[in-house]
Amino acid sequence: MIELRAFYSAAFILLSLKGGECSLQLTPNSAEYERQVNQSLIVTCGDSPITKDMAWKSPTGETIPQRGRVHVERNKKGLALIFEKIERSDKGNYTCNAVVGDEKKRTAFTLSVQMPISFSGTPDRQNATENSNYLVQCTVEGDPAPNVVWLVKNSPPEGPRFRALATGLYIQNVTLNDSGIYQCKAVQMTAVSADLQTKEIHLKVLHKPKWKNVSEAAQNLAYGYLSGVVNLTCEVTADPEPQFVWRRHNQIINPDHHNATLINEPQRSILQLPVHNESTFGEYKCEASNSLGRLERIIMLQKGVKPKPPKRPMVVSVGRETALVQIPMQPAEDAIIGYRIQFVMKQPGIQHTWDAPDYQDFMRELGGPNKYTVINLLENTPYALRVASRNAAGLSDFTDEVSFRTSSSDTSSSLSLKHSNNFLCPLFFTSLVVSRYH
């Protein structure tokens, strides 16, 4: 027998007189109870000196026993029907039968059992493959059965490629744009309540390697010069992560035996070659592959001309964190396409070096004033800078250094010069003579 605790939901069926006759009725006057799976419920059928042969009947008409998960207990107020842990199979009509005086009386209530919404077995992260069909799985359970609504990146899925099924959202011919967050929303309605639950699913689309930049597939020429160092770069997007292989004369390039350096990063591989003699020039093949496919390109490394350094630059204006640098123009035949500005802090009493300087790269402005703004400097700090020009073959030697100090106020120094807004445009080259890996 279990104790009748205060947290149980209870109703008492009492005897009342109506028109001089005794009858059984529910108090409070409710003919229906709604409970969730695993909750408890106690309903008491009222007793009196003239009541006898009282019993509870199940929805199948069987008399409910005095033992078990669902049982009856006699208490001071009558015969209690006790559900210790409600199961889905308990739903239905329950009847209290009794003889009151010389008459048979009965009263009943309906138990509705709700199983809350669950997404049991639904993976939070799922992987689809590009160009295949995929079912975004969402297993929704509940009683009453929930209605399911889908959102894809916070919008309803549109178009014939998407179809909602009982087990998930079917996507036909998956594309890379289909990756993102999917929301499986389940709505459950009963006669007296409503519930909404959402399951977020992160869909990742696996695909074979693709060139990161569309134009990269056409970049088959690279330039280097004798005594310089050249970087040949392959950059792709791929999932799973790609593996890179470099070949020369159909042989895999082994850094230990080919006087080369391989720098492998996520989605990118750089083959760094010192150009000791003209035998370094020629064809190189980059291969990127994963379990879904393979991509390759031939890069022709040609002999170029090392650019000449520009003439001494000038710092024409400074701010708290910036310096405006004017670089003298070079002849058109030098084919200069950009500049690298290196800079180091100067500290009193300590000789600065150029072993590991900071630098910023700039694209050359055709027809512009050739002024470039170095940013992210420290306020009121002395610096030295130097400049190298860049052509298709790589970087020149650096100029002599120029010293300056940033400002300690919000205003620029006395020279107020108009300069280009197109500063700090990053350079992307297949061939680099001086790289950040030095």
Side-chain angles (χ1 to χ4, degrees):
M1 299 297 181
I2 70 170
E3 295 181 0
L4 304 184
R5 299 184 181 274
F7 63 83
Y8 283 132
S9 298
F12 301 98
I13 302 175
L14 304 176
L15 290 173
S16 67
L17 290 175
K18 289 187 177 180
E21 293 184 0
C22 292
S23 64
L24 298 172
Q25 64 177 349
L26 290 174
T27 304
N29 189 19
S30 176
E32 183 171 348
Y33 298 91
E34 182 180 290
R35 293 294 184 271
Q36 292 186 353
V37 171
N38 294 327
Q39 287 186 331
S40 300
L41 175 65
I42 300 175
V43 178
T44 299
C45 193
D47 202 355
S48 77
I50 61 172
T51 303
K52 59 183 179 180
D53 299 333
M54 183 176 287
W56 279 100
K57 299 288 187 181
S58 71
T60 60
E62 298 176 351
T63 300
I64 296 178
Q66 295 181 357
R67 296 178 180 275
R69 183 182 56 82
V70 180
H71 65 274
V72 296
E73 286 186 23
R74 177 66 64 175
N75 60 35
K76 293 181 180 180
K77 295 183 179 181
L79 188 63
L81 172 61
I82 301 174
F83 299 83
E84 292 187 356
K85 254 190 172 181
I86 292 176
E87 296 180 354
R88 295 175 65 185
S89 59
D90 294 334
K91 63 183 178 180
N93 293 321
Y94 290 82
T95 305
C96 176
N97 297 282
V99 176
V100 182
D102 295 327
E103 293 185 50
K104 292 182 178 180
K105 300 290 184 178
R106 65 188 298 273
T107 189
F109 70 88
T110 300
L111 175 61
S112 298
V113 179
Q114 178 192 12
M115 186 177 78
I117 296 170
S118 71
F119 301 96
S120 178
T122 300
D124 294 334
R125 298 185 177 274
Q126 302 183 31
N127 297 332
T129 302
E130 185 184 22
N131 300 324
S132 68
N133 301 328
Y134 185 75
L135 180 69
V136 183
Q137 302 172 50
C138 185
T139 303
V140 183
E141 295 180 344
D143 189 8
N147 293 321
V148 176
V149 177
W150 283 92
L151 291 181
V152 179
K153 302 174 187 176
N154 294 320
S155 298
E158 296 181 354
R161 293 195 307 115
F162 296 93
R163 189 164 72 252
L165 303 178
T167 54
L169 181 66
Y170 182 80
I171 307 176
Q172 187 175 15
N173 193 22
V174 172
T175 70
L176 292 181
N177 290 332
D178 292 328
S179 62
I181 297 177
Y182 288 63
Q183 291 178 309
C184 177
K185 292 181 171 288
V187 181
Q188 187 181 59
M189 304 289 294
T190 71
V192 296
S193 65
D195 189 24
L196 169 65
Q197 299 291 330
T198 300
K199 177 71 172 181
E200 276 199 354
I201 300 166
H202 296 255
L203 181 66
K204 181 167 69 171
V205 177
L206 307 179
H207 61 95
K208 66 183 180 180
K210 303 174 183 288
W211 298 119
K212 184 173 183 179
N213 301 307
V214 176
S215 60
E216 188 168 349
Q219 293 177 358
N220 295 323
L221 289 179
Y223 296 89
Y225 54 81
L226 294 175
S227 74
V229 176
V230 63
N231 287 351
L232 306 182
T233 302
C234 264
E235 190 165 11
V236 301
T237 61
D239 201 342
E241 189 70 25
Q243 301 294 319
F244 290 94
V245 173
W246 288 89
R247 297 181 187 272
R248 180 86 195 275
H249 304 311
N250 291 324
Q251 300 294 319
I252 295 178
I253 296 177
N254 185 335
D256 295 334
H257 305 300
H258 291 85
N259 196 24
T261 301
L262 275 178
I263 304 166
N264 288 321
E265 301 174 337
Q267 312 283 315
R268 181 168 74 163
S269 179
I270 300 171
L271 176 64
Q272 191 174 83
L273 298 168
V275 185
H276 295 307
N277 52 56
E278 297 205 5
S279 66
T280 307
F281 302 116
E283 284 188 358
Y284 293 82
K285 180 189 287 188
C286 170
E287 300 173 357
S289 63
N290 63 13
S291 59
L292 298 176
R294 180 174 169 275
L295 195 64
E296 68 176 39
R297 68 186 270 231
I298 301 294
I299 300 175
M300 176 63 73
L301 177 60
Q302 296 184 350
K303 184 177 181 180
V305 177
K306 182 178 181 179
K308 297 177 182 178
K311 293 183 179 179
R312 185 182 178 90
M314 294 175 53
V315 178
V316 295
S317 177
V318 295
R320 292 176 63 186
E321 300 176 349
T322 62
L324 180 62
V325 181
Q326 183 168 22
I327 302 174
M329 300 292 288
Q330 293 175 253
E333 57 267 22
D334 288 353
I336 301 303
I337 59 175
Y339 300 94
R340 173 168 292 184
I341 299 178
Q342 290 184 345
F343 51 95
V344 294
M345 284 191 295
K346 298 174 68 175
Q347 300 181 30
I350 301 176
Q351 180 61 42
H352 62 274
T353 69
W354 295 96
D355 295 335
D358 292 317
Y359 68 87
Q360 293 172 15
D361 287 334
F362 301 86
M363 292 290 291
R364 182 190 170 200
E365 272 199 331
L366 297 177
N370 230 34
K371 296 186 181 77
Y372 306 92
T373 301
V374 179
I375 64 173
N376 297 329
L377 303 175
L378 298 179
E379 176 184 351
N380 192 26
T381 302
Y383 284 92
L385 68 75
R386 61 183 189 175
V387 179
S389 57
R390 184 195 300 277
N391 65 9
L395 291 172
S396 70
D397 294 331
F398 281 87
T399 63
D400 293 337
E401 66 181 54
V402 175
S403 297
F404 69 96
R405 177 184 286 270
T406 53
S407 172
S408 59
S409 64
D410 290 328
T411 57
S412 297
S413 62
S414 58
L415 286 178
S416 178
L417 301 174
K418 183 178 180 182
H419 58 281
S420 166
N421 291 327
N422 293 328
F423 56 83
L424 266 185
C425 180
L427 296 174
F428 298 98
F429 290 95
T430 304
S431 171
L432 301 177
V433 173
V434 179
S435 77
R436 66 185 178 91
Y437 300 100
H438 276 186

